C-alpha cells in the first residue's frame, strides 16, 4: 500500500466555480477524515466517515461543501460556488478506529481561488 | 477559541543541541496528545504521542513530556539534526468518539549546521 493518495495536488479555479477533490485512503482503514489548513495555521477538522457513514461535520463545513464516501472506499469533497476564502490546503487522512496513532495523512490538495 | 496553542512560531537551534518545542491546551477532555512533523508540499507525518495517563514517552531522539496540571506538553529532540528542520504541530484528541485531532498553529524548527 502506498499510503493515502489525494488528487489533484493543485487546483486553481475562478471564484464561483465548483471543484471536487478525491482521496484514496489506506485500504484497511475504516475511518476517513478531511481537514483544511490555511496559511500559518494548523489543520482544522472538517468531517469524518466511518466506513460509508458520515458521522460528524464541523461548523466550518458550510452548505457549499459536501463530502461522500460511497461503498466505504475513496472519498470526494466538493465545494460549490467557490469563494476566495476557500483557498487552502485540503488534507485527507485515514485510520483504523481505536488507534489514534494510526492516522495517516495524504499530501493534500492545494486550492487557489482567483 | 484556540484549544491547542503553540506560542512560538519559529525556533532556531544549533545542530547537535537540544530542541524544545512547547504546546499548551485548554480542554480537559483531551486524553491523547500527538506531535506531527510537516515538510513543505507534504502532509503531516506522525512523530510521537502520549496518553494522559503517562507523563513521559520516549522514542529514540524524541521525548514528549506531559504536565496535566499545567495543561502543557513539550517535545524534546536531542541531538538535533539538519533533517529535523520542518514545521512541528502539536495535536490533541479524545480517544473515544471521532478521535478528531485539534491542532496547534505549528512551530517552524530550523537546525543550523
Amino acid at each position: 500500500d502506498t499510503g493515502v493518495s489525494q488528487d489533484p495536488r493543485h487546483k486553481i479555479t475562478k471564484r464561483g466555480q465548483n471543484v471536487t477533490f478525491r482521496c484514496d485512503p489506506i485500504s484497511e482503514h475504516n475511518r476517513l477524515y478531511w481537514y483544511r489548513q490555511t496559511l500559518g495555521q494548523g489543520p482544522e477538522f472538517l468531517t469524518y466517515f466511518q466506513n460509508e457513514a458520515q458521522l460528524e461535520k464541523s461548523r466550518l463545513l458550510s452548505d457549499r461543501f459536501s463530502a461522500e464516501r460511497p461503498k466505504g472506499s475513496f472519498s470526494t469533497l466538493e465545494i460549490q460556488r467557490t469563494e476566495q476564502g476557500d483557498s487552502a490546503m485540503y488534507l485527507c487522512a485515514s485510520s483504523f478506529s481505536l488507534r489514534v496513532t494510526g492516522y495517516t495523512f495524504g499530501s493534500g490538495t492545494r486550492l487557489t481561488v482567483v | 477559541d484556540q484549544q491547542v496553542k503553540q506560542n512560538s512560531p519559529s525556533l532556531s537551534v544549533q545542530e547537535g543541541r537540544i530542541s524544545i518545542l512547547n504546546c499548551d491546551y485548554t480542554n480537559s477532555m483531551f486524553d491523547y496528545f500527538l506531535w506531527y512533523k510537516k515538510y513543505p508540499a507534504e502532509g503531516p507525518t506522525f512523530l510521537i504521542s502520549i496518553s494522559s495517563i503517562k507523563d513521559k514517552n520516549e522514542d529514540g531522539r524524541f521525548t514528549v513530556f506531559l504536565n496535566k496540571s499545567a495543561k502543557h506538553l513539550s517535545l524534546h529532540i536531542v541531538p538535533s539534526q539538519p533533517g529535523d528542520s520542518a514545521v512541528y504541530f502539536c495535536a490533541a484528541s479524545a480517544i473515544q468518539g471521532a478521535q478528531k485531532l485539534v491542532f496547534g498553529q505549528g512551530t517552524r524548527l530550523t537546525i543550523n549546521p
Side-chain angles (χ1 to χ4, degrees):
Chain A
D1 201 327
T2 55
V4 178
S5 177
Q6 291 190 245
D7 183 69
R9 292 293 305 273
H10 303 275
K11 179 72 178 178
I12 300 174
T13 190
K14 290 184 178 179
R15 190 175 53 184
Q17 298 292 306
N18 299 343
V19 294
T20 300
F21 312 139
R22 178 181 170 120
C23 171
D24 288 274
I26 292 173
S27 57
E28 61 265 29
H29 285 178
N30 61 344
R31 288 192 172 187
L32 187 149
Y33 300 81
W34 286 98
Y35 284 78
R36 180 173 71 184
Q37 184 180 12
T38 53
L39 202 61
Q41 299 297 317
E44 295 175 290
F45 170 80
L46 291 179
T47 187
Y48 96 101
F49 294 82
Q50 179 147 324
N51 301 313
E52 66 275 7
Q54 187 174 17
L55 296 184
E56 187 169 338
K57 292 195 291 186
S58 162
R59 64 178 187 273
L60 293 174
L61 217 63
S62 75
D63 291 344
R64 297 183 297 105
F65 288 71
S66 62
E68 293 183 344
R69 192 184 182 196
K71 301 178 183 177
S73 55
F74 71 92
S75 176
T76 58
L77 178 68
E78 181 183 16
I79 310 174
Q80 296 183 326
R81 305 180 304 281
T82 51
E83 302 173 356
Q84 287 191 320
D86 297 330
S87 295
M89 174 74 84
Y90 290 84
L91 293 161
C92 175
S94 69
S95 76
F96 187 74
S97 54
L98 304 179
R99 291 187 58 198
V100 182
T101 54
Y103 254 76
T104 303
F105 280 89
S107 297
T109 294
R110 178 164 297 283
L111 172 67
T112 303
V113 182
V114 298
Chain B
D1 64 333
Q2 191 76 31
Q3 297 184 68
V4 178
K5 292 184 183 179
Q6 294 175 258
N7 291 319
S8 299
S10 62
L11 178 67
S12 186
V13 174
Q14 202 79 14
E15 181 179 359
R17 307 293 290 266
I18 184 170
S19 296
I20 301 176
L21 295 93
N22 294 301
C23 177
D24 296 294
Y25 64 97
T26 58
N27 191 335
S28 300
M29 299 300 291
F30 292 143
D31 53 11
Y32 211 86
F33 304 90
L34 308 92
W35 285 93
Y36 279 80
K37 178 178 179 179
K38 188 178 185 302
Y39 292 117
E42 294 184 12
T45 303
F46 170 74
L47 198 56
I48 192 169
S49 63
I50 187 166
S51 163
S52 61
I53 63 174
K54 295 186 176 181
D55 54 18
K56 177 182 174 182
N57 188 28
E58 196 171 349
D59 184 2
R61 296 185 298 113
F62 303 92
T63 303
V64 56
F65 296 91
L66 175 63
N67 182 335
K68 281 196 304 181
S69 61
K71 293 191 174 66
H72 177 84
L73 63 154
S74 61
L75 174 68
H76 292 210
I77 306 173
V78 55
S80 300
Q81 299 174 354
D84 296 330
S85 295
V87 178
Y88 288 78
F89 290 99
C90 168
S93 177
I95 291 182
Q96 298 302 316
Q99 296 174 354
K100 58 189 178 186
L101 299 178
V102 179
F103 284 86
Q105 307 94 311
T107 297
R108 180 176 300 279
L109 176 64
T110 302
I111 306 302
N112 301 309

